[in-house]
Amino acid sequence: MSTAPFPYRLIATDLDGTLLRGDGTISQRTRDALAAATAAGAAHLVVTGRSVPWTRYILDDLGYDGLAVCGQGAQLYHAGEHRMLTSVTLDRQLAALALAKLEAEVGPMELAASRDGLSGEVLASSGFSVHENPLPMIPLTDAAQLWEVPLNKVYIQHPTLDDDSLTEIARKTVGGLVDVVMAGPGIVEIIPLGLTKATGLSLAARRLGTRAADTIAFGDMPNDIPMFGWAVRGVAMANAHTELKAVATDITSSNDDDGIALTLESLLAG
């Protein structure tokens, strides 16, 4: 293997569909490649749409003790200290107005919401399709529950519209009030206006003393587009959404086929 220095000082990785395999685990090959890259001088930064409570157990399993960008860029979390450094919350009045306008356009939706904080609970209506996870959910039986405490985001699902269609209609209908992102299958989110993964990534990079020109980013969904726009190199997984592939610098293998490891191993080889 070449002794040439690793060409990037910062490796930014999404979690679901990117660093995580389909079964929610991280392969040993990927762990080894990240360890080798960090030993060569790079920092690994997780940048995920998941809020901190839904990210923390993954980071602990990985032995990750640095900064992490969570909640679509809303939260900067110190994993080693289990401490929230910054958090941006959703304007609940604007979010309620946006939901009302959107339901007037598309009809009733299934809803969920992520509450702010290190132990922020997730509420979900009875018909909301929830991905398998180890954390408890609070049943959402009354829409008023959504607005009781500060939120990071609201999740929306529609009985007949697919994710792409729902995202497009939502952006056209309420795009001046909130931002709408598609973060994964069945995961369309309402988040604070102007917030992106690049927001949190740039903040974390400044704390780490790195720049966009030092950064390689890996992702799989349209919510990773701003991150790719910020980083000097954006690598889409083979399983990525077509919108992300269209703006990627290059494409690696899928999350189930060690796509991150393949790219890092090539860079380490010089």
Side-chain angles (χ1 to χ4, degrees):
M1 182 176 289
S2 169
T3 57
F6 193 74
Y8 301 99
R9 294 183 59 204
L10 186 60
I11 304 165
T13 67
D14 173 48
L15 282 181
D16 296 280
T18 304
L19 184 64
L20 299 180
R21 293 181 290 191
D23 62 2
T25 63
I26 302 167
S27 74
Q28 189 60 50
R29 182 179 179 183
T30 296
R31 291 171 186 260
D32 291 344
L34 284 168
T38 55
H44 174 214
L45 180 69
V46 165
V47 185
T48 178
R50 291 175 178 241
S51 59
V52 167
W54 293 62
T55 306
R56 186 167 49 196
Y57 70 93
I58 297 171
L59 301 183
D60 290 345
D61 174 68
L62 188 60
Y64 185 102
D65 60 5
L67 299 180
V69 176
C70 303
Q72 304 295 3
Q75 299 172 321
L76 186 59
Y77 171 65
H78 194 301
E81 299 175 0
H82 291 96
R83 184 164 61 95
M84 188 85 76
L85 302 181
T86 62
S87 184
V88 177
T89 57
L90 184 63
D91 185 310
R92 284 170 279 171
Q93 186 174 2
L94 285 178
L97 177 59
L99 276 181
K101 288 174 64 71
L102 185 53
E103 289 197 315
E105 181 71 22
V106 302
M109 298 181 295
E110 297 293 343
L111 305 174
S114 174
R115 289 176 168 174
D116 189 38
L118 286 173
S119 301
E121 306 95 340
V122 172
L123 299 84
S125 60
S126 59
F128 192 90
S129 178
V130 179
H131 292 255
E132 185 176 348
N133 66 85
L135 301 181
M137 310 282 289
I138 296 176
L140 177 62
T141 57
D142 184 340
Q145 289 176 263
L146 287 173
W147 321 118
E148 291 175 346
V149 299
L151 303 174
N152 300 124
K153 63 181 74 173
V154 173
Y155 304 88
I156 55 176
Q157 292 177 351
H158 194 273
T160 59
L161 294 171
D162 63 25
D163 297 335
D164 290 290
S165 299
L166 180 57
T167 302
E168 181 180 1
I169 293 170
R171 284 175 177 166
K172 289 179 179 177
T173 306
V174 300
L177 299 172
V178 293
D179 270 338
V180 181
V181 298
M182 181 176 18
I187 306 176
V188 179
E189 302 177 358
I190 290 174
I191 61 174
L193 189 64
L195 179 70
T196 71
K197 282 190 174 185
T199 311
L201 173 55
S202 62
L203 177 62
R206 286 197 298 273
R207 286 177 176 255
L208 294 170
T210 58
R211 307 168 299 154
D214 303 321
T215 304
I216 181 171
F218 294 85
D220 74 309
M221 291 300 290
N223 63 322
D224 294 316
I225 291 173
M227 181 167 70
F228 279 23
W230 187 85
V232 70
R233 183 175 179 183
V235 182
M237 314 305 289
N239 52 287
H241 193 283
T242 54
E243 290 182 17
L244 187 68
K245 287 181 176 179
V247 300
T249 309
D250 50 347
I251 298 170
T252 187
S253 296
S254 74
N255 60 322
D256 283 328
D257 293 319
D258 296 311
I260 290 177
L262 285 167
T263 299
L264 296 183
E265 288 165 357
S266 176
L267 292 170
L268 286 162

